[in-house]
Amino acid sequence: MKILVINGPNLNLLGEREPGVYGTETLDSINTGLKTLAEQSGAKIDFYQSNHEGDIVDKLHDCRTDSDCVILNAGAYTHYSYAIRDAIAAIKIPVIEVHLSNIHAREAFRENSVISAVCKGTVAGFGAYGYTMALQYALTLGKD
Ligand code: DQA
Protein backbone atom coordinates (compact mmCIF):
# COMPACT_ATOMS: atom_id res chain seq x y z
CA MET A 1 0.00 0.00 0.00
CA LYS A 2 1.52 3.30 -1.05
CA ILE A 3 -0.13 6.65 -0.45
CA LEU A 4 0.89 10.03 -1.86
CA VAL A 5 -0.06 13.28 -0.12
CA ILE A 6 -0.08 16.30 -2.43
CA ASN A 7 -0.42 19.84 -1.16
CA GLY A 8 -0.93 22.76 -3.51
CA PRO A 9 -0.23 26.49 -3.41
CA ASN A 10 0.48 28.35 -0.19
CA LEU A 11 0.20 25.24 1.95
CA ASN A 12 3.98 25.33 2.45
CA LEU A 13 3.25 28.34 4.68
CA LEU A 14 0.96 26.48 7.06
CA GLY A 15 1.63 27.54 10.61
CA GLU A 16 2.22 31.17 9.71
CA ARG A 17 -0.45 31.60 7.02
CA GLU A 18 -3.75 32.93 8.40
CA PRO A 19 -3.54 30.76 11.54
CA GLY A 20 -7.09 31.71 12.53
CA VAL A 21 -8.30 29.94 9.38
CA TYR A 22 -5.73 27.20 8.83
CA GLY A 23 -4.33 26.55 12.32
CA THR A 24 -0.84 26.81 13.72
CA GLU A 25 0.54 23.42 12.74
CA THR A 26 3.20 23.41 10.01
CA LEU A 27 3.04 21.19 6.95
CA ASP A 28 6.15 19.34 8.16
CA SER A 29 4.47 18.61 11.47
CA ILE A 30 1.28 17.38 9.75
CA ASN A 31 3.33 15.18 7.43
CA THR A 32 5.33 13.72 10.32
CA GLY A 33 2.10 12.67 12.03
CA LEU A 34 0.77 11.11 8.82
CA LYS A 35 4.04 9.22 8.29
CA THR A 36 3.85 7.73 11.78
CA LEU A 37 0.25 6.62 11.27
CA ALA A 38 0.94 5.15 7.83
CA GLU A 39 4.02 3.26 8.98
CA GLN A 40 2.17 1.86 12.00
CA SER A 41 -0.22 0.34 9.47
CA GLY A 42 2.57 -1.02 7.28
CA ALA A 43 1.87 1.45 4.47
CA LYS A 44 4.33 3.60 2.59
CA ILE A 45 3.65 7.31 2.32
CA ASP A 46 5.23 10.08 0.26
CA PHE A 47 4.72 13.83 0.35
CA TYR A 48 4.76 16.48 -2.36
CA GLN A 49 4.04 20.20 -2.24
CA SER A 50 4.03 22.64 -5.13
CA ASN A 51 2.80 26.14 -5.79
CA HIS A 52 2.57 25.39 -9.53
CA GLU A 53 -0.42 23.94 -11.31
CA GLY A 54 1.49 22.05 -14.01
CA ASP A 55 3.79 20.45 -11.44
CA ILE A 56 0.74 19.09 -9.62
CA VAL A 57 -0.65 17.76 -12.91
CA ASP A 58 2.72 16.09 -13.61
CA LYS A 59 2.81 14.55 -10.13
CA LEU A 60 -0.70 13.14 -10.52
CA HIS A 61 0.37 11.55 -13.82
CA ASP A 62 3.64 10.22 -12.42
CA CYS A 63 2.10 8.60 -9.34
CA ARG A 64 -0.53 6.67 -11.24
CA THR A 65 1.65 3.60 -11.67
CA ASP A 66 3.32 3.44 -8.26
CA SER A 67 0.75 4.75 -5.77
CA ASP A 68 -2.53 3.23 -4.61
CA CYS A 69 -4.21 6.39 -3.39
CA VAL A 70 -3.68 10.16 -3.36
CA ILE A 71 -4.65 12.60 -0.62
CA LEU A 72 -4.89 16.03 -2.25
CA ASN A 73 -5.30 19.52 -0.90
CA ALA A 74 -5.22 21.52 -4.11
CA GLY A 75 -5.48 24.86 -2.28
CA ALA A 76 -7.01 27.61 -4.41
CA TYR A 77 -6.67 25.45 -7.55
CA THR A 78 -9.60 23.52 -6.10
CA HIS A 79 -11.90 26.26 -7.25
CA TYR A 80 -10.82 26.76 -10.85
CA SER A 81 -8.22 24.29 -12.13
CA TYR A 82 -9.81 22.21 -14.87
CA ALA A 83 -6.30 20.91 -15.62
CA ILE A 84 -6.02 19.32 -12.17
CA ARG A 85 -9.60 18.08 -12.44
CA ASP A 86 -8.83 16.40 -15.76
CA ALA A 87 -5.59 14.91 -14.39
CA ILE A 88 -7.54 13.31 -11.52
CA ALA A 89 -10.12 12.01 -13.99
CA ALA A 90 -7.35 10.62 -16.18
CA ILE A 91 -5.82 8.38 -13.54
CA LYS A 92 -7.44 5.29 -12.09
CA ILE A 93 -6.28 5.50 -8.48
CA PRO A 94 -8.62 7.13 -5.94
CA VAL A 95 -7.97 10.73 -4.98
CA ILE A 96 -9.30 12.05 -1.66
CA GLU A 97 -9.89 15.81 -1.52
CA VAL A 98 -8.90 17.53 1.73
CA HIS A 99 -9.38 21.08 2.99
CA LEU A 100 -8.38 22.35 6.39
CA SER A 101 -11.13 24.95 6.38
CA ASN A 102 -14.82 24.49 5.68
CA ILE A 103 -14.85 25.83 2.12
CA HIS A 104 -18.67 26.02 2.24
CA ALA A 105 -18.63 28.48 5.12
CA ARG A 106 -16.29 31.06 3.61
CA GLU A 107 -16.19 33.39 0.61
CA ALA A 108 -18.58 32.51 -2.23
CA PHE A 109 -15.73 31.69 -4.63
CA ARG A 110 -14.57 28.87 -2.33
CA GLU A 111 -17.98 27.24 -2.27
CA ASN A 112 -17.42 25.43 -5.56
CA SER A 113 -14.82 22.74 -6.01
CA VAL A 114 -14.18 21.77 -9.62
CA ILE A 115 -12.34 18.63 -8.47
CA SER A 116 -14.92 17.14 -6.05
CA ALA A 117 -16.87 15.33 -8.75
CA VAL A 118 -13.82 13.33 -9.83
CA CYS A 119 -12.55 12.61 -6.30
CA LYS A 120 -13.47 9.61 -4.19
CA GLY A 121 -14.68 11.90 -1.42
CA THR A 122 -14.02 15.16 0.37
CA VAL A 123 -12.98 16.07 3.92
CA ALA A 124 -13.30 19.76 4.81
CA GLY A 125 -13.45 21.86 7.94
CA PHE A 126 -11.63 19.66 10.45
CA GLY A 127 -8.27 21.38 10.30
CA ALA A 128 -5.16 19.24 10.11
CA TYR A 129 -7.17 16.29 11.43
CA GLY A 130 -8.80 16.12 8.00
CA TYR A 131 -5.58 14.68 6.57
CA THR A 132 -5.65 11.98 9.26
CA MET A 133 -9.27 11.18 8.41
CA ALA A 134 -8.36 10.88 4.74
CA LEU A 135 -5.39 8.66 5.56
CA GLN A 136 -7.50 6.42 7.77
CA TYR A 137 -9.84 5.88 4.83
CA ALA A 138 -6.92 5.33 2.44
CA LEU A 139 -5.50 2.66 4.74
CA THR A 140 -8.75 0.68 4.52
CA LEU A 141 -8.23 0.36 0.76
CA GLY A 142 -5.18 -1.81 1.36
CA LYS A 143 -7.35 -4.31 3.23
CA ASP A 144 -9.56 -5.11 0.20
C1 DQA B 1 -7.85 25.26 1.39
C2 DQA B 1 -9.06 26.11 1.02
C3 DQA B 1 -8.83 26.90 -0.25
O1 DQA B 1 -9.96 27.71 -0.55
C4 DQA B 1 -7.62 27.80 -0.09
O2 DQA B 1 -7.37 28.47 -1.30
C5 DQA B 1 -6.42 27.09 0.40
C6 DQA B 1 -6.58 26.10 1.45
C7 DQA B 1 -8.01 24.58 2.76
O3 DQA B 1 -7.23 23.69 3.05
O4 DQA B 1 -8.88 24.96 3.54
O5 DQA B 1 -5.31 27.38 0.00
O6 DQA B 1 -7.70 24.24 0.41
Side-chain angles (χ1 to χ4, degrees), residues 10 13 19 30 33 40 49 59 65 71 74 76 94 97 102 108 115 123-124 137 139-140:
N10 302 303
L13 294 184
I30 292 169
Q40 280 167 355
Q49 190 277 328
K59 194 69 181 177
T65 50
I71 295 169
E97 178 184 7
N102 180 354
I115 67 170
V123 183
Y137 173 76
L139 291 169
T140 70

PDB file of all heavy atoms in Angstrom, residues 10 13 19 30 33 40 49 59 65 71 74 76 94 97 102 108 115 123-124 137 139-140:
ATOM      1  N   ASN A  10       0.514  27.636  -1.482  1.00  0.00           N
ATOM      2  CA  ASN A  10       0.482  28.350  -0.193  1.00  0.00           C
ATOM      3  C   ASN A  10       0.418  27.441   1.029  1.00  0.00           C
ATOM      4  O   ASN A  10       0.502  27.912   2.159  1.00  0.00           O
ATOM      5  CB  ASN A  10      -0.673  29.373  -0.157  1.00  0.00           C
ATOM      6  CG  ASN A  10      -0.561  30.388  -1.287  1.00  0.00           C
ATOM      7  OD1 ASN A  10       0.449  31.059  -1.389  1.00  0.00           O
ATOM      8  ND2 ASN A  10      -1.559  30.475  -2.140  1.00  0.00           N
ATOM      9  N   LEU A  13       3.184  27.313   3.630  1.00  0.00           N
ATOM     10  CA  LEU A  13       3.249  28.344   4.680  1.00  0.00           C
ATOM     11  C   LEU A  13       2.338  28.044   5.865  1.00  0.00           C
ATOM     12  O   LEU A  13       2.118  28.913   6.718  1.00  0.00           O
ATOM     13  CB  LEU A  13       2.898  29.721   4.095  1.00  0.00           C
ATOM     14  CG  LEU A  13       3.876  30.293   3.064  1.00  0.00           C
ATOM     15  CD1 LEU A  13       3.440  31.698   2.664  1.00  0.00           C
ATOM     16  CD2 LEU A  13       5.301  30.326   3.610  1.00  0.00           C
ATOM     17  N   PRO A  19      -3.360  31.851  10.565  1.00  0.00           N
ATOM     18  CA  PRO A  19      -3.537  30.763  11.544  1.00  0.00           C
ATOM     19  C   PRO A  19      -4.963  30.647  12.084  1.00  0.00           C
ATOM     20  O   PRO A  19      -5.386  29.551  12.472  1.00  0.00           O
ATOM     21  CB  PRO A  19      -2.543  31.108  12.659  1.00  0.00           C
ATOM     22  CG  PRO A  19      -2.144  32.524  12.424  1.00  0.00           C
ATOM     23  CD  PRO A  19      -2.315  32.797  10.969  1.00  0.00           C
ATOM     24  N   ILE A  30       2.414  18.199  10.212  1.00  0.00           N
ATOM     25  CA  ILE A  30       1.281  17.379   9.749  1.00  0.00           C
ATOM     26  C   ILE A  30       1.807  16.121   9.059  1.00  0.00           C
ATOM     27  O   ILE A  30       1.360  15.009   9.331  1.00  0.00           O
ATOM     28  CB  ILE A  30       0.383  18.200   8.785  1.00  0.00           C
ATOM     29  CG1 ILE A  30      -0.325  19.320   9.545  1.00  0.00           C
ATOM     30  CG2 ILE A  30      -0.625  17.289   8.079  1.00  0.00           C
ATOM     31  CD1 ILE A  30      -1.027  20.336   8.647  1.00  0.00           C
ATOM     32  N   GLY A  33       3.174  13.445  11.403  1.00  0.00           N
ATOM     33  CA  GLY A  33       2.097  12.667  12.033  1.00  0.00           C
ATOM     34  C   GLY A  33       1.507  11.648  11.075  1.00  0.00           C
ATOM     35  O   GLY A  33       1.224  10.497  11.459  1.00  0.00           O
ATOM     36  N   GLN A  40       2.759   2.768  11.000  1.00  0.00           N
ATOM     37  CA  GLN A  40       2.170   1.860  11.999  1.00  0.00           C
ATOM     38  C   GLN A  40       1.261   0.836  11.323  1.00  0.00           C
ATOM     39  O   GLN A  40       1.058  -0.259  11.831  1.00  0.00           O
ATOM     40  CB  GLN A  40       1.352   2.648  13.027  1.00  0.00           C
ATOM     41  CG  GLN A  40       2.187   3.308  14.110  1.00  0.00           C
ATOM     42  CD  GLN A  40       1.384   4.324  14.928  1.00  0.00           C
ATOM     43  OE1 GLN A  40       0.223   4.607  14.629  1.00  0.00           O
ATOM     44  NE2 GLN A  40       2.011   4.870  15.948  1.00  0.00           N
ATOM     45  N   GLN A  49       4.712  18.885  -2.296  1.00  0.00           N
ATOM     46  CA  GLN A  49       4.041  20.197  -2.243  1.00  0.00           C
ATOM     47  C   GLN A  49       4.550  21.032  -3.402  1.00  0.00           C
ATOM     48  O   GLN A  49       5.741  21.060  -3.695  1.00  0.00           O
ATOM     49  CB  GLN A  49       4.325  20.912  -0.905  1.00  0.00           C
ATOM     50  CG  GLN A  49       3.475  22.171  -0.660  1.00  0.00           C
ATOM     51  CD  GLN A  49       4.027  23.425  -1.326  1.00  0.00           C
ATOM     52  OE1 GLN A  49       5.230  23.582  -1.460  1.00  0.00           O
ATOM     53  NE2 GLN A  49       3.149  24.316  -1.766  1.00  0.00           N
ATOM     54  N   LYS A  59       2.692  15.481 -11.253  1.00  0.00           N
ATOM     55  CA  LYS A  59       2.811  14.548 -10.132  1.00  0.00           C
ATOM     56  C   LYS A  59       1.651  13.553 -10.131  1.00  0.00           C
ATOM     57  O   LYS A  59       1.842  12.366  -9.869  1.00  0.00           O
ATOM     58  CB  LYS A  59       2.854  15.334  -8.810  1.00  0.00           C
ATOM     59  CG  LYS A  59       3.295  14.515  -7.633  1.00  0.00           C
ATOM     60  CD  LYS A  59       4.763  14.135  -7.736  1.00  0.00           C
ATOM     61  CE  LYS A  59       5.196  13.293  -6.560  1.00  0.00           C
ATOM     62  NZ  LYS A  59       6.602  12.854  -6.704  1.00  0.00           N
ATOM     63  N   THR A  65       1.203   4.980 -11.553  1.00  0.00           N
ATOM     64  CA  THR A  65       1.652   3.595 -11.667  1.00  0.00           C
ATOM     65  C   THR A  65       2.293   3.064 -10.390  1.00  0.00           C
ATOM     66  O   THR A  65       2.497   1.863 -10.266  1.00  0.00           O
ATOM     67  CB  THR A  65       2.671   3.448 -12.828  1.00  0.00           C
ATOM     68  OG1 THR A  65       3.672   4.468 -12.679  1.00  0.00           O
ATOM     69  CG2 THR A  65       1.981   3.607 -14.170  1.00  0.00           C
ATOM     70  N   ILE A  71      -3.957  11.638  -1.473  1.00  0.00           N
ATOM     71  CA  ILE A  71      -4.654  12.603  -0.616  1.00  0.00           C
ATOM     72  C   ILE A  71      -4.234  13.978  -1.131  1.00  0.00           C
ATOM     73  O   ILE A  71      -3.044  14.287  -1.170  1.00  0.00           O
ATOM     74  CB  ILE A  71      -4.258  12.404   0.863  1.00  0.00           C
ATOM     75  CG1 ILE A  71      -4.750  11.035   1.349  1.00  0.00           C
ATOM     76  CG2 ILE A  71      -4.804  13.540   1.734  1.00  0.00           C
ATOM     77  CD1 ILE A  71      -4.197  10.625   2.702  1.00  0.00           C
ATOM     78  N   ALA A  74      -5.636  20.749  -2.937  1.00  0.00           N
ATOM     79  CA  ALA A  74      -5.216  21.520  -4.109  1.00  0.00           C
ATOM     80  C   ALA A  74      -5.209  23.019  -3.844  1.00  0.00           C
ATOM     81  O   ALA A  74      -4.958  23.811  -4.771  1.00  0.00           O
ATOM     82  CB  ALA A  74      -6.121  21.186  -5.295  1.00  0.00           C
ATOM     83  N   ALA A  76      -6.104  26.796  -3.592  1.00  0.00           N
ATOM     84  CA  ALA A  76      -7.012  27.605  -4.407  1.00  0.00           C
ATOM     85  C   ALA A  76      -7.290  26.982  -5.780  1.00  0.00           C
ATOM     86  O   ALA A  76      -8.325  27.271  -6.391  1.00  0.00           O
ATOM     87  CB  ALA A  76      -6.453  29.015  -4.571  1.00  0.00           C
ATOM     88  N   PRO A  94      -7.735   6.178  -6.628  1.00  0.00           N
ATOM     89  CA  PRO A  94      -8.623   7.126  -5.944  1.00  0.00           C
ATOM     90  C   PRO A  94      -7.873   8.340  -5.400  1.00  0.00           C
ATOM     91  O   PRO A  94      -6.755   8.222  -4.901  1.00  0.00           O
ATOM     92  CB  PRO A  94      -9.225   6.301  -4.802  1.00  0.00           C
ATOM     93  CG  PRO A  94      -8.328   5.129  -4.624  1.00  0.00           C
ATOM     94  CD  PRO A  94      -7.639   4.890  -5.932  1.00  0.00           C
ATOM     95  N   GLU A  97     -10.027  14.350  -1.616  1.00  0.00           N
ATOM     96  CA  GLU A  97      -9.892  15.815  -1.524  1.00  0.00           C
ATOM     97  C   GLU A  97      -9.935  16.231  -0.053  1.00  0.00           C
ATOM     98  O   GLU A  97     -10.838  15.819   0.683  1.00  0.00           O
ATOM     99  CB  GLU A  97     -11.047  16.465  -2.295  1.00  0.00           C
ATOM    100  CG  GLU A  97     -11.070  17.974  -2.244  1.00  0.00           C
ATOM    101  CD  GLU A  97     -12.314  18.553  -2.949  1.00  0.00           C
ATOM    102  OE1 GLU A  97     -13.210  17.769  -3.350  1.00  0.00           O
ATOM    103  OE2 GLU A  97     -12.370  19.785  -3.076  1.00  0.00           O
ATOM    104  N   ASN A 102     -13.534  24.859   6.270  1.00  0.00           N
ATOM    105  CA  ASN A 102     -14.820  24.486   5.677  1.00  0.00           C
ATOM    106  C   ASN A 102     -15.075  25.434   4.500  1.00  0.00           C
ATOM    107  O   ASN A 102     -15.515  26.563   4.681  1.00  0.00           O
ATOM    108  CB  ASN A 102     -15.938  24.597   6.710  1.00  0.00           C
ATOM    109  CG  ASN A 102     -17.285  24.222   6.127  1.00  0.00           C
ATOM    110  OD1 ASN A 102     -17.406  23.991   4.929  1.00  0.00           O
ATOM    111  ND2 ASN A 102     -18.292  24.162   6.976  1.00  0.00           N
ATOM    112  N   ALA A 108     -17.773  33.221  -1.225  1.00  0.00           N
ATOM    113  CA  ALA A 108     -18.580  32.515  -2.227  1.00  0.00           C
ATOM    114  C   ALA A 108     -17.700  31.762  -3.243  1.00  0.00           C
ATOM    115  O   ALA A 108     -18.048  30.666  -3.676  1.00  0.00           O
ATOM    116  CB  ALA A 108     -19.492  33.497  -2.944  1.00  0.00           C
ATOM    117  N   ILE A 115     -12.952  19.976  -8.508  1.00  0.00           N
ATOM    118  CA  ILE A 115     -12.344  18.634  -8.465  1.00  0.00           C
ATOM    119  C   ILE A 115     -13.192  17.613  -7.704  1.00  0.00           C
ATOM    120  O   ILE A 115     -12.990  16.408  -7.858  1.00  0.00           O
ATOM    121  CB  ILE A 115     -10.904  18.666  -7.881  1.00  0.00           C
ATOM    122  CG1 ILE A 115     -10.891  19.039  -6.399  1.00  0.00           C
ATOM    123  CG2 ILE A 115     -10.019  19.594  -8.699  1.00  0.00           C
ATOM    124  CD1 ILE A 115      -9.514  18.839  -5.740  1.00  0.00           C
ATOM    125  N   VAL A 123     -13.012  15.757   2.482  1.00  0.00           N
ATOM    126  CA  VAL A 123     -12.983  16.072   3.921  1.00  0.00           C
ATOM    127  C   VAL A 123     -12.667  17.560   4.028  1.00  0.00           C
ATOM    128  O   VAL A 123     -11.653  18.015   3.493  1.00  0.00           O
ATOM    129  CB  VAL A 123     -11.889  15.269   4.655  1.00  0.00           C
ATOM    130  CG1 VAL A 123     -11.933  15.575   6.148  1.00  0.00           C
ATOM    131  CG2 VAL A 123     -12.020  13.779   4.401  1.00  0.00           C
ATOM    132  N   ALA A 124     -13.523  18.319   4.705  1.00  0.00           N
ATOM    133  CA  ALA A 124     -13.296  19.763   4.810  1.00  0.00           C
ATOM    134  C   ALA A 124     -13.787  20.284   6.144  1.00  0.00           C
ATOM    135  O   ALA A 124     -14.861  19.877   6.622  1.00  0.00           O
ATOM    136  CB  ALA A 124     -14.014  20.509   3.687  1.00  0.00           C
ATOM    137  N   TYR A 137      -9.051   6.496   5.917  1.00  0.00           N
ATOM    138  CA  TYR A 137      -9.836   5.881   4.832  1.00  0.00           C
ATOM    139  C   TYR A 137      -8.904   5.199   3.829  1.00  0.00           C
ATOM    140  O   TYR A 137      -9.143   4.056   3.422  1.00  0.00           O
ATOM    141  CB  TYR A 137     -10.712   6.911   4.112  1.00  0.00           C
ATOM    142  CG  TYR A 137     -11.358   6.281   2.916  1.00  0.00           C
ATOM    143  CD1 TYR A 137     -12.440   5.415   3.082  1.00  0.00           C
ATOM    144  CD2 TYR A 137     -10.838   6.456   1.637  1.00  0.00           C
ATOM    145  CE1 TYR A 137     -13.003   4.759   1.996  1.00  0.00           C
ATOM    146  CE2 TYR A 137     -11.391   5.800   0.549  1.00  0.00           C
ATOM    147  CZ  TYR A 137     -12.472   4.961   0.733  1.00  0.00           C
ATOM    148  OH  TYR A 137     -13.006   4.299  -0.341  1.00  0.00           O
ATOM    149  N   LEU A 139      -6.085   3.901   4.199  1.00  0.00           N
ATOM    150  CA  LEU A 139      -5.501   2.661   4.737  1.00  0.00           C
ATOM    151  C   LEU A 139      -6.484   1.496   4.661  1.00  0.00           C
ATOM    152  O   LEU A 139      -6.077   0.343   4.579  1.00  0.00           O
ATOM    153  CB  LEU A 139      -5.035   2.889   6.181  1.00  0.00           C
ATOM    154  CG  LEU A 139      -3.823   3.822   6.310  1.00  0.00           C
ATOM    155  CD1 LEU A 139      -3.597   4.196   7.776  1.00  0.00           C
ATOM    156  CD2 LEU A 139      -2.569   3.203   5.710  1.00  0.00           C
ATOM    157  N   THR A 140      -7.776   1.783   4.658  1.00  0.00           N
ATOM    158  CA  THR A 140      -8.750   0.683   4.524  1.00  0.00           C
ATOM    159  C   THR A 140      -8.708   0.093   3.130  1.00  0.00           C
ATOM    160  O   THR A 140      -9.089  -1.059   2.930  1.00  0.00           O
ATOM    161  CB  THR A 140     -10.211   1.155   4.817  1.00  0.00           C
ATOM    162  OG1 THR A 140     -10.640   2.018   3.762  1.00  0.00           O
ATOM    163  CG2 THR A 140     -10.328   1.839   6.162  1.00  0.00           C
TER     164      THR A 140
END
